[in-house]
Amino acid sequence: MTNFLTRTAGILLVFGFFFALLGCSTQVYTLEQTKETFDAGDYERALEKTNRLLREDPENESLHLLNARILKNIALRQEQPETRLNYYREMEYSLDHLSASESNEWILESDNLRQYVWDEEYGAAERLLTQEDAGSFSQNFSPVIAHLKNALQVHPDNPKTYNLKATAYYRNGDLQLAVETLQTAYNQFDQLPVEMKEKLAFLLLEEGQLEKSIDLYQILLDEHPENDDIKHGLVNAYILNEQHDASIELLRELLASDQDNIPYHEALATELFFYIQTSVNDMAEGDFSDEELLARHENLMSDLDEAENLYQYVQENHPNPAEITFITAAFYKNTANHLITLANSGDTELSERFKDKANELLSRSIPIWEQVAERNPENPEIWRSMYQIYSHLDMTEEAEEARSKANM
């Protein structure tokens, strides 16, 4: 009896151990078997196997590389780019392990895999973004952003991704997100391409963050003092921020290197007008000595002559003379009015000079106003301006005719 029980227990123990071994053997995979599953295209099953093997051997670089490749293939098989992101995030675990390896071979494998995925995702976004059909952009916008998020997930150190993402936001009308995207890149990269910094400065300008735009443009100009595109952007920022003295100085530099640039002539003339207006107000309201007033008068006359020459150049060379003719006529009239106000603000030796200069400007403006009136004979505002000029210059008959046409 005893022997039977002992024998039976022994048999049962062995039998149980046999089943235990049999059960475990069904769960054992090898790297080669997993590669075969991967090569057969059964990526989900291959992923299951690598995850199980990695739990047993978490430092195995070959397993991590295979795991990353499997996840890459599963991700790229997803038709919707937004559904790929989680696979890429999971892939990062294995890629980070390879990147931390002491072997250059594994580091290179990791870098190559990241670059491959980045090329796929960035390229897909770029193709969608550059489609010529404008109507398709609204359809493509979400996939473009999804592709770029994927690209950033696997390769966050490439500034081109931020640049394209900002472009997508800008084209979609999301100015704030475009600025935030480039600002993130600006803060992250020490060596950001100058074109991206310039784009950020421009977008800050467009968003109305004028001081930030000016600060960035000035940094860029210090780094690239011969870059006229940066100067052009900075001039626009100065103009919008009403920093007329700074814009004038920079516009003179731009004109020195591009003397036939009509927009620069026109912008400088306009900025000089605003600067003259400010100077006149300062002279009228300030308490200056005769010596200081004389110096300011000379500077004012010099600025006036420069502005007048600029407007004349633009009028002679502008492709749309009708537009610039009215602007030039208004310049003469408004500047003369400021000088008359200045002359009447105090009894100084310069008052007569200001009056004489005002009359000179008004007289020179008459043929220009006549051109404006010839193109716009039914506009009463133009005739009203001409009536005021004729009356001031005691041109009675002309004033009466202008008054009649202005329906005054």
Side-chain angles (χ1 to χ4, degrees), residues 64-267:
H64 279 289
L65 179 59
L66 180 58
N67 189 61
R69 286 174 174 169
I70 293 168
L71 287 164
K72 179 261 293 183
N73 282 18
I74 293 175
L76 292 176
R77 195 165 59 182
Q78 309 301 309
E79 291 187 7
Q80 303 302 321
E82 59 270 16
T83 62
R84 301 175 181 178
L85 189 58
N86 287 334
Y87 292 106
Y88 290 141
R89 285 172 177 159
E90 191 175 345
M91 186 180 74
E92 283 298 293
Y93 170 75
S94 286
L95 291 180
D96 287 344
H97 183 89
L98 294 173
S99 296
S101 171
E102 296 181 359
S103 168
N104 290 333
E105 178 184 353
W106 296 117
I107 295 172
L108 182 61
E109 290 283 2
S110 173
D111 291 344
N112 288 342
L113 198 51
R114 290 181 195 275
Q115 187 64 45
Y116 179 88
V117 173
W118 185 88
D119 288 341
E120 289 291 318
E121 297 292 346
Y122 182 88
E126 191 172 41
R127 286 189 295 274
L128 287 172
L129 195 58
T130 54
Q131 286 181 356
E132 294 186 4
D133 182 5
S136 68
F137 179 75
S138 58
Q139 288 181 306
N140 292 342
F141 172 70
S142 293
V144 164
I145 295 300
H147 281 300
L148 293 173
K149 285 182 178 179
N150 293 338
L152 285 171
Q153 178 64 39
V154 298
H155 197 349
D157 299 328
N158 193 325
K160 289 178 64 177
T161 317
Y162 292 92
N163 193 28
L164 195 64
K165 190 177 180 185
T167 299
Y169 280 134
Y170 182 76
R171 286 187 57 187
N172 199 50
D174 298 327
L175 180 58
Q176 182 179 350
L177 289 175
V179 169
E180 289 176 1
T181 300
L182 287 178
Q183 190 70 62
T184 299
Y186 183 76
N187 296 335
Q188 179 174 334
F189 298 102
D190 293 332
Q191 300 297 325
L192 198 67
V194 63
E195 294 80 9
M196 285 184 65
K197 294 180 183 178
E198 188 181 350
K199 183 185 286 188
L200 175 57
F202 168 77
L203 291 180
L204 287 168
L205 175 66
E206 191 161 333
E207 196 180 28
Q209 298 190 53
L210 299 180
E211 296 294 341
K212 286 186 177 181
S213 176
I214 288 170
D215 289 344
L216 182 51
Y217 270 127
Q218 288 174 333
I219 291 171
L220 288 170
L221 191 56
D222 289 341
E223 296 172 353
H224 309 276
E226 303 303 320
N227 190 315
D228 284 350
D229 289 335
I230 294 172
K231 291 179 183 178
H232 185 104
L234 182 55
V235 160
N236 285 333
Y238 281 147
I239 290 173
L240 290 175
N241 208 37
E242 298 184 0
Q243 294 180 229
H244 304 302
D245 50 349
S247 67
I248 288 168
E249 180 182 352
L250 200 50
L251 278 165
R252 284 170 175 159
E253 284 186 31
L254 286 167
L255 265 178
S257 60
D258 190 2
Q259 297 180 10
D260 297 327
N261 191 305
I262 294 175
Y264 287 161
H265 280 83
E266 185 176 355

Side-chain angles (χ1 to χ4, degrees), residues 197-390:
K197 294 180 183 178
E198 188 181 350
K199 183 185 286 188
L200 175 57
F202 168 77
L203 291 180
L204 287 168
L205 175 66
E206 191 161 333
E207 196 180 28
Q209 298 190 53
L210 299 180
E211 296 294 341
K212 286 186 177 181
S213 176
I214 288 170
D215 289 344
L216 182 51
Y217 270 127
Q218 288 174 333
I219 291 171
L220 288 170
L221 191 56
D222 289 341
E223 296 172 353
H224 309 276
E226 303 303 320
N227 190 315
D228 284 350
D229 289 335
I230 294 172
K231 291 179 183 178
H232 185 104
L234 182 55
V235 160
N236 285 333
Y238 281 147
I239 290 173
L240 290 175
N241 208 37
E242 298 184 0
Q243 294 180 229
H244 304 302
D245 50 349
S247 67
I248 288 168
E249 180 182 352
L250 200 50
L251 278 165
R252 284 170 175 159
E253 284 186 31
L254 286 167
L255 265 178
S257 60
D258 190 2
Q259 297 180 10
D260 297 327
N261 191 305
I262 294 175
Y264 287 161
H265 280 83
E266 185 176 355
L268 179 54
T270 303
E271 286 301 286
L272 280 167
F273 168 75
F274 286 116
Y275 184 72
I276 290 165
Q277 179 179 334
T278 302
S279 299
V280 167
N281 291 337
D282 290 345
M283 293 176 70
E285 298 171 3
D287 184 16
F288 301 104
S289 65
D290 290 345
E291 204 171 293
E292 289 173 324
L293 279 174
L294 182 60
R296 284 174 173 268
H297 169 268
E298 290 176 355
N299 290 334
L300 182 61
M301 293 303 107
S302 175
D303 291 337
L304 268 172
D305 289 342
E306 183 180 3
E308 186 178 5
N309 290 333
L310 288 163
Y311 273 122
Q312 288 175 350
Y313 177 89
V314 176
Q315 191 176 7
E316 292 169 1
N317 296 278
H318 200 281
N320 185 3
E323 175 187 335
I324 195 60
T325 299
F326 175 78
I327 293 174
T328 307
F331 160 75
Y332 278 117
K333 180 176 181 290
N334 293 335
T335 305
N337 287 341
H338 288 308
L339 292 176
I340 292 168
T341 300
L342 180 58
N344 294 334
S345 66
D347 186 14
T348 68
E349 294 181 7
L350 295 177
S351 295
E352 288 303 316
R353 295 191 193 180
F354 289 132
K355 290 179 181 176
D356 290 343
K357 185 63 176 180
N359 291 339
E360 179 185 331
L361 293 175
L362 289 174
S363 296
R364 286 212 288 271
S365 78
I366 289 175
I368 304 175
W369 277 110
E370 288 174 347
Q371 292 179 43
V372 175
E374 185 177 347
R375 294 189 179 99
N376 305 272
E378 305 300 324
N379 190 324
E381 293 300 322
I382 293 171
W383 290 109
R384 187 172 289 113
S385 292
M386 296 180 68
Y387 166 77
Q388 293 167 351
I389 295 170
Y390 289 139

